Amino acid sequence: MSIRTIIVDDEKLAIQGLMLRLEKFPDVEVIDTCSNGREAIRKIKTEKPDLVFLDIQMPGFDGFSVVKGVMEIEPPLIVFVTAYQEHAVRAFEANAVNYLMKPVDEDKLADTMERVRLRLSEKHAIEEAEKLKSVLAEVAPDAIEAMPDEVEPAGRYEKLINIKDRGQIFRVDVDSIEHIEAAGDYMCIYTGDNSLILRETMKDLERRLDPRVFQRVHRSTIVNLNQVRQVKPHTNGECFLVLESGAQVKVSRSYRDVVARFVH
């Protein structure tokens, strides 16, 4: 299956250079190129590509304006390509697959394409699950009623989380996270030897984490169950989980079922 791709850049040489590098990837099909943001929005809406390599610094509509302009449809995967390092933070905030500096490094491009394939496989898995549910709804309605509300394909959960904190971007391995505490619309991410602030609601963050590993133990606390090394009973049916770093997290009575899995 080919990855239908559009390249957007106001520099012809940059487009040509990227096309040459993409020739090494037989699954990439460059279906069009654009030289400005307005043209890019129009072609993305009509062509519906899988992937767009998008220059940020363009006259008129810049790359971020293009992203905003296609949000009314299901947007393609975006890889920002630019000569300006200061745009990196905004690129990750826009949920880009990656951020490439000009001239594009071949190894980094190869890494980017691996990320693209992973994202597309997750997307296709969700689409196939929805198709299956539609068929079952027609031919076997009893079966569809017994299915969970959402079919979760393997590998849909985050392995790395990009966190902007103190003007820097940290790439945090999800497995290293011990626990997460909510503070309004901010999440405090604890990794045992470090703590970072992520601007995101708990509800949205939970969707990105594997619920078999990350469980709510309090209305404002999520714990990585793989990091638990001891359960300490407390009063009134509550208890504490002792984590690998030695940190202790209280489990409220409402979430006692989480503790039950540690008691055999």
Side-chain angles (χ1 to χ4, degrees), residues 8-10 34-42 58-59 61 66:
V8 182
D9 202 306
D10 62 331
C34 307
S35 59
N36 61 74
R38 291 183 183 274
E39 180 187 10
I41 292 173
R42 186 175 68 254
M58 295 184 292
F61 276 38
V66 172

Side-chain angles (χ1 to χ4, degrees), residues 161-179:
I161 293 181
N162 299 315
I163 301 178
K164 176 189 173 186
D165 190 352
R166 299 182 290 276
Q168 301 181 60
I169 295 175
F170 298 86
R171 291 177 62 75
V172 178
D173 186 337
V174 167
D175 291 337
S176 72
I177 297 174
E178 277 200 342
H179 71 287

Side-chain angles (χ1 to χ4, degrees), residues 140-158:
D142 292 340
I144 197 67
E145 288 179 6
M147 289 179 69
D149 292 335
E150 182 179 355
V151 177
E152 298 176 345
R156 67 161 289 187
Y157 300 107
E158 302 281 359

Side-chain angles (χ1 to χ4, degrees), residues 193-247:
D193 59 352
N194 197 11
S195 63
L196 297 167
I197 304 297
L198 173 66
R199 184 168 185 174
E200 187 167 349
T201 65
M202 179 167 280
K203 184 177 180 180
D204 288 339
L205 183 57
E206 278 186 305
R207 292 195 190 104
R208 301 168 62 188
L209 300 173
D210 189 340
R212 295 169 298 181
V213 177
F214 289 88
Q215 283 281 316
R216 189 92 68 100
V217 297
H218 189 276
R219 64 182 181 85
S220 60
T221 308
I222 297 173
V223 165
N224 181 345
L225 300 182
N226 292 335
Q227 294 276 353
V228 176
R229 72 181 188 191
Q230 185 181 354
V231 178
K232 295 175 63 176
H234 192 53
T235 59
N236 300 321
E238 297 179 332
C239 68
F240 284 93
L241 299 180
V242 182
L243 308 180
E244 286 294 338
S245 66

Side-chain angles (χ1 to χ4, degrees), residues 73-135:
I73 64 169
E74 184 178 351
L77 298 181
I78 300 291
V79 174
F80 285 114
V81 185
T82 183
Y84 300 93
Q85 181 68 41
E86 64 267 23
H87 293 303
V89 171
R90 287 189 66 197
F92 280 114
E93 287 178 341
N95 200 29
V97 174
N98 208 355
Y99 176 92
L100 298 174
M101 294 293 297
K102 295 180 180 179
V104 175
D105 178 82
E106 293 187 1
D107 289 339
K108 290 183 178 179
L109 180 59
D111 175 66
T112 296
M113 292 311 304
E114 283 300 315
R115 297 188 194 185
V116 167
R117 294 184 190 100
L118 178 61
R119 290 268 193 106
L120 287 175
S121 67
E122 292 171 355
K123 179 181 175 182
H124 291 154
I126 293 171
E127 290 174 351
E128 290 303 316
E130 289 303 316
K131 289 178 184 176
L132 177 60
K133 288 174 71 175
S134 297
V135 172

